Amino acid sequence: MTRPSTQAVILGASIAGLLAARALSDTFGTVTVIDRDDLTGTGPRKGVPQGRHAHMLFAKGREVIEDLFPGITGELVAAGALTVDVHAGFAWHNGPNALARAASDLVVLAVSRPALEDHLRARVGRLPGVTVRGGLEATGLLHEDGAVVGVRAVPAGAGPGAPAEELRADLVVDATGRGNRGTTWLTELGYAPPEQDSVMAGVVYATREYERRPLASGMLGVLTGVTPKYPYGAALLPMEGDRWILTLAGLGDDLPPTDEAGFAAYATRLSIGDLAEVVHGARPLGPPRPFRVPASVRRRYERIRRHPEGFLAFGDAICAFNPIYGQGMTVAALEALELRTAVADGLAGLPRRFYARASAVIDTPWDMAVGGDLAFPSVPGRRTVKIRFLNWYLARLLRAAETSPEVAVAFHRTVNLTEPPGRLFAPAILRRVFLG
């Protein structure tokens, strides 16, 4: 196809930034992705500290990424990743109690965050007109006549006064994650920053990798819910390289330790045999590592009345979820579809169109995450009647899912964003929740 001579610059070579590049590559003549990290290597990088912890690409996210990058699932599997029926292949636990299992059509991708990012970056770099540049840090926006027309950037690590490079663009996309400076840059240009919603859940992770051998149970992984009754959880997932990654999560005052004995004790406190088998029987591949996420933050760009043309926030720069729910990568993939649709109608009015579409994507997972966070007494926030009712109902639904595969599958469809939460109130589900 013939592309117009338009230029886009994307700040951040994160999962979100790479997905945004793919979304824009169909309509922009040139797309440049910049990141302050050196991108010549592989594996975890400094700018993605969460990359060392457990990630799982939900069924919906895997479907969307496969649509954007045909064949990438097969590439990752050939490199050691696994595709897993999320309901039949993983052992899900409500506290110490296992949920009922059955085959489903929910196929997730079990792969490390660095491996997924490396494969996406390689695929993006092969797209016509797309360039990925590492070692370059954005320091501000170029602004003319009410529009953002590019970005200033300096070599990463350059001291004060380093000469800046000006990258001119018809569109600048900020995909620099939780620590983004987009709202600061907009304020410097005279625009009011977006309203911000936040929930201070105070989640803390501790993660350790182990050599992977098949579990005696035959399961391909273990996931436990974090609930007010059991405010700690674990995610044991397979990765490429015949590795297990075990991430423990806690909040409030009950946090996972990073010394070996404390980590093992925390991992086995729910008395789940698969976790004990790995912690006490598998060879560790490194020490436990901590990670802290103080808050979930949603920036309400869709409510801004005055916004410059030529600039968009994207991914975690719009909404950074509590990572304990695993929604971030899938929501970024869905936002990429909305960006591709919105930009097809031209650049005029693009921010308003895109933010409206992105908000519709974010609403459901945000409500799910906020409701889940506010179930814990230690988390500050207003518990509306709706939130209290939904948390009460979810507790009953999870108890029913321990004996009803139908209820468990319905729950997983909602978590994987393939069906709306309203399906959890279908008559067949209500009967099993309230009547058994």
Side-chain angles (χ1 to χ4, degrees), residues 21-48:
R22 173 63 186 90
L24 297 178
S25 66
D26 289 337
T27 51
F28 278 75
T30 301
V31 178
T32 302
V33 183
I34 68 171
D35 195 284
R36 63 185 178 185
D37 281 348
D38 178 3
L39 302 177
T40 57
T42 60
R45 56 189 182 91
K46 183 178 179 181
V48 188

Side-chain angles (χ1 to χ4, degrees), residues 44 52 207-213 236-246 260 263 278-279 281-289:
R52 295 183 179 274
T207 295
R208 197 174 198 188
E209 294 182 14
Y210 298 85
E211 186 178 77
R212 175 161 56 90
R213 294 289 184 268
L236 175 69
L237 299 175
M239 299 190 302
E240 71 286 350
D242 293 323
R243 293 174 294 160
W244 291 114
I245 186 167
L246 174 57
E260 292 197 10
F263 184 90
V278 171
V279 169
R283 182 171 70 90
L285 299 177
R289 297 175 179 273

Side-chain angles (χ1 to χ4, degrees), residues 123-323:
R123 289 289 296 266
V124 166
R126 294 198 296 267
L127 294 171
V130 178
T131 302
V132 181
R133 297 178 60 185
L136 200 59
E137 182 175 4
T139 59
L141 302 174
L142 304 177
H143 183 257
E144 297 174 3
D145 300 324
V148 170
V149 295
V151 63
R152 290 186 300 275
V154 298
E165 179 180 353
E166 291 192 353
L167 303 175
R168 306 289 291 190
D170 302 282
L171 178 65
V172 174
V173 178
D174 180 10
T176 53
R178 289 177 180 269
N180 75 92
R181 298 175 59 196
T183 55
T184 300
W185 291 337
L186 291 177
T187 302
E188 290 172 351
L189 296 177
Y191 296 93
E195 300 172 17
Q196 183 170 293
D197 299 336
S198 61
V199 181
M200 303 294 294
V203 173
V204 172
Y205 279 176
T207 295
R208 197 174 198 188
E209 294 182 14
Y210 298 85
E211 186 178 77
R212 175 161 56 90
R213 294 289 184 268
L215 295 172
S217 66
M219 290 293 98
L220 295 172
V222 178
L223 295 108
T224 73
V226 179
T227 66
K229 186 175 181 180
Y230 301 101
Y232 40 83
L236 175 69
L237 299 175
M239 299 190 302
E240 71 286 350
D242 293 323
R243 293 174 294 160
W244 291 114
I245 186 167
L246 174 57
T247 291
L248 309 179
L251 68 167
D253 296 324
D254 191 3
L255 304 178
T258 54
D259 64 284
E260 292 197 10
F263 184 90
Y266 200 97
T268 55
R269 65 199 304 184
L270 290 173
S271 299
I272 297 172
D274 290 331
L275 296 180
E277 181 180 340
V278 171
V279 169
H280 295 306
R283 182 171 70 90
L285 299 177
R289 297 175 179 273
F291 181 60
R292 181 181 295 272
V293 182
S296 304
V297 178
R298 183 176 183 181
R299 298 174 179 86
R300 295 284 188 168
Y301 280 98
E302 76 277 11
R303 297 178 182 173
I304 289 182
R305 294 189 176 184
R306 179 173 170 264
H307 190 282
E309 295 289 323
F311 176 81
L312 294 177
F314 191 85
D316 281 2
I318 302 178
C319 185
F321 294 91
N322 181 342

Side-chain angles (χ1 to χ4, degrees), residues 2-3 8 19 42 77 81 113 117 133 161 163 178 207 235 240 243 297 312 345 383 406:
T2 301
R3 292 174 174 81
L19 293 172
T42 60
V77 170
R113 165 67 184 261
E117 187 176 295
R133 297 178 60 185
R178 289 177 180 269
T207 295
E240 71 286 350
R243 293 174 294 160
V297 178
L312 294 177
D345 292 329
R383 276 83 171 165
E406 184 176 3

